[in-house]
């Protein structure tokens, strides 16, 4: 079973907790990098913590949540090798796995409801990368990375 790294700021804390419970019930292993309350924090810290865990292969993939999902995905995507995809529906989750081999899912805790979020999570975690022409495009993205 996959090991999933979770991270959120205060805007994503509540949804992260919902996702954590869901994943544990499904038998996934979870590493929760915080935050652990609704007290205001800065989202880049949590985006970077999970991104490093993905790069270092301490987890198989990551799920990040902030208020919109935007800031925390921008932060994670600064790290070479990270492909964090902000998804607001199941189709985006499916296609970002099939085409982009996204290794982090980003969600907006203040944007989507819990039911849709969990459908997105399940789709993201169970959809495989298609390879082929999409591998060439990912290699092209990686050629822009600084290290
Ligand atoms: C925090 O207020 C908020 O800015 C953050 O959760 C996120 O939406 C940033 O992109």
């Amino acid at each position: 079973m996959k090991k999933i790294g979770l991270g959120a700021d205060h805007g994503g804390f509540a949804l992260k907790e919902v996702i954590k419970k869901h994943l544990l019930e499904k038998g996934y292993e979870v590493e929760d990098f915080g935050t652990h309350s609704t007290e205001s924090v800065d989202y880049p810290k949590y985006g970077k913590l999970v991104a490093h865990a993905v790069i270092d292969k301490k987890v198989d993939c990551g799920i990040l949540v902030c208020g919109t999902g935007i800031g925390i995905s921008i932060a994670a995507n600064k790290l070479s090798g990270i492909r964090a995809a902000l998804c607001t529906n199941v189709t985006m989750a499916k296609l970002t796995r099939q085409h982009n081999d996204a290794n982090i899912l980003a969600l907006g805790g203040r944007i989507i409801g819990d039911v849709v979020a969990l459908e997105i999570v399940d789709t993201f975690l169970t959809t495989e990368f298609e390879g082929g022409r999409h591998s060439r495009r990912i290699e092209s993205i990686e050629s822009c990375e600084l290290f």
Side-chain angles (χ1 to χ4, degrees), residues 13 22 35 38 50 79 89 129 133:
F13 168 73
H22 177 75
T35 188
T38 55
V50 171
L79 279 81
N89 61 54
F129 177 50
R133 68 190 186 281

Side-chain angles (χ1 to χ4, degrees), residues 13-146:
F13 168 73
L15 180 55
K16 171 176 70 68
E17 294 302 301
V18 170
I19 293 169
K20 180 161 67 174
K21 180 171 176 288
H22 177 75
L23 293 179
L24 291 172
E25 282 171 0
K26 289 212 152 202
Y28 287 99
E29 206 181 329
V30 167
E31 184 160 356
D32 186 350
F33 291 87
T35 188
H36 300 291
S37 77
T38 55
E39 186 181 334
S40 182
V41 292
D42 295 335
Y43 58 80
K45 171 182 172 181
Y46 302 95
K48 288 187 283 184
L49 280 171
V50 171
H52 277 294
V54 171
I55 289 165
D56 297 342
K57 299 193 187 311
K58 290 179 180 156
V59 296
D60 294 299
C61 62
I63 299 176
L64 293 172
V65 194
C66 68
T68 58
I70 296 172
I72 207 160
S73 58
I74 290 174
N77 276 320
K78 291 293 179 188
L79 279 81
S80 294
I82 292 300
R83 292 178 299 281
L86 172 57
C87 297
T88 55
N89 61 54
V90 167
T91 305
M92 293 172 78
K94 183 177 160 200
L95 288 172
T96 198
R97 285 291 309 128
Q98 290 178 334
H99 292 191
N100 314 127
D101 198 16
N103 49 18
I104 293 182
L105 169 65
L107 297 167
R110 294 171 178 159
I111 303 295
I112 54 171
D114 292 356
V115 173
V116 172
L118 294 182
E119 285 178 359
I120 291 171
V121 165
D122 288 344
T123 302
F124 185 85
L125 294 178
T126 56
T127 305
E128 297 297 322
F129 177 50
E130 284 181 351
R133 68 190 186 281
H134 303 298
S135 297
R136 184 180 69 240
R137 293 160 188 169
I138 288 170
E139 283 163 20
S140 182
I141 291 172
E142 287 173 344
S143 73
C144 303
E145 293 176 341
L146 296 176

